[in-house]
Amino acid sequence: MSLEQTISKEIMEAMKAKNPVRLNALRNAKKYILEAKTAGPGIEELSDAEVLKIISKLAKQGTDSAAIFVQQNRQDLADEELAQVAVYREFLPAQLSDEELTAEVRAIIAETGAASVKEMGKVMGIASKRLAGRAEGKDISDKVRELLA
């Protein structure tokens, strides 16, 4: 069963369970998936990787929105966003710990032979693809910069 089909099934279960937060989050994900499918001619199915990219983007947006709501003293809205982010994270692969990220980036640096921050682009190109969905882009960038410095 594809990830898109799983989300559709989960929407039905959330309706039956009368879980509005989960239902809203899943419907939002489904909306973005449908928009991506209708964005260009000839796109009938999205791969699971493309669906994961959409869900990852929604999780990041929700986290960023929650941070803004906290700054504006709107904890109620922040809690709602974070609850939806928790639903999105159920579909994402487990995030790398700091130690795992360090080990992965060190391996990529050794593989590319990069020796200075000037070669950061070479490392980031590979790291971004290899660690997509398992680590935030900013965290990858910070770790690469730290290890090349």
Side-chain angles (χ1 to χ4, degrees):
M1 181 182 295
S2 74
L3 193 53
E4 182 181 354
Q5 292 169 332
T6 303
I7 289 173
S8 294
K9 185 175 146 244
E10 290 287 328
I11 289 172
M12 296 300 287
E13 290 177 14
M15 280 187 221
K16 289 176 186 173
K18 296 183 172 125
N19 185 340
V21 172
R22 187 172 182 77
L23 183 59
N24 287 338
L26 293 170
R27 280 182 172 165
N28 194 29
K30 182 76 172 176
K31 178 186 85 146
Y32 280 97
I33 291 168
L34 289 173
E35 285 177 1
K37 285 171 68 172
T38 59
I43 301 174
E44 292 185 22
E45 280 298 313
L46 294 179
S47 68
D48 282 352
E50 292 168 318
V51 173
L52 279 175
K53 193 179 283 188
I54 291 169
I55 294 173
S56 177
K57 182 179 175 184
L58 290 171
K60 182 168 177 9
Q61 286 175 344
T63 305
D64 293 345
S65 295
I68 292 169
F69 289 141
V70 167
Q71 287 175 350
Q72 296 174 345
N73 294 322
R74 292 299 310 266
Q75 191 62 42
D76 56 327
L77 296 175
D79 292 342
E80 192 175 317
E81 284 290 332
L82 292 174
Q84 288 189 10
V85 168
V87 173
Y88 297 138
R89 290 217 168 115
E90 291 176 24
F91 295 95
L92 296 174
Q95 296 292 301
L96 294 174
S97 68
D98 192 48
E99 296 81 29
E100 293 169 328
L101 180 61
T102 301
E104 291 277 349
V105 170
R106 278 203 173 115
I108 293 169
I109 289 172
E111 185 181 306
T112 59
S116 70
V117 179
K118 290 179 182 176
E119 298 172 287
M120 186 172 166
K122 188 166 39 171
V123 177
M124 281 301 297
I126 295 170
S128 295
K129 288 179 185 150
R130 195 175 294 172
L131 304 175
R134 296 175 24 206
E136 295 270 335
K138 183 182 181 330
D139 294 339
I140 295 170
S141 174
D142 292 345
K143 188 59 68 176
V144 169
R145 182 171 280 121
E146 172 189 322
L147 293 174
L148 286 177

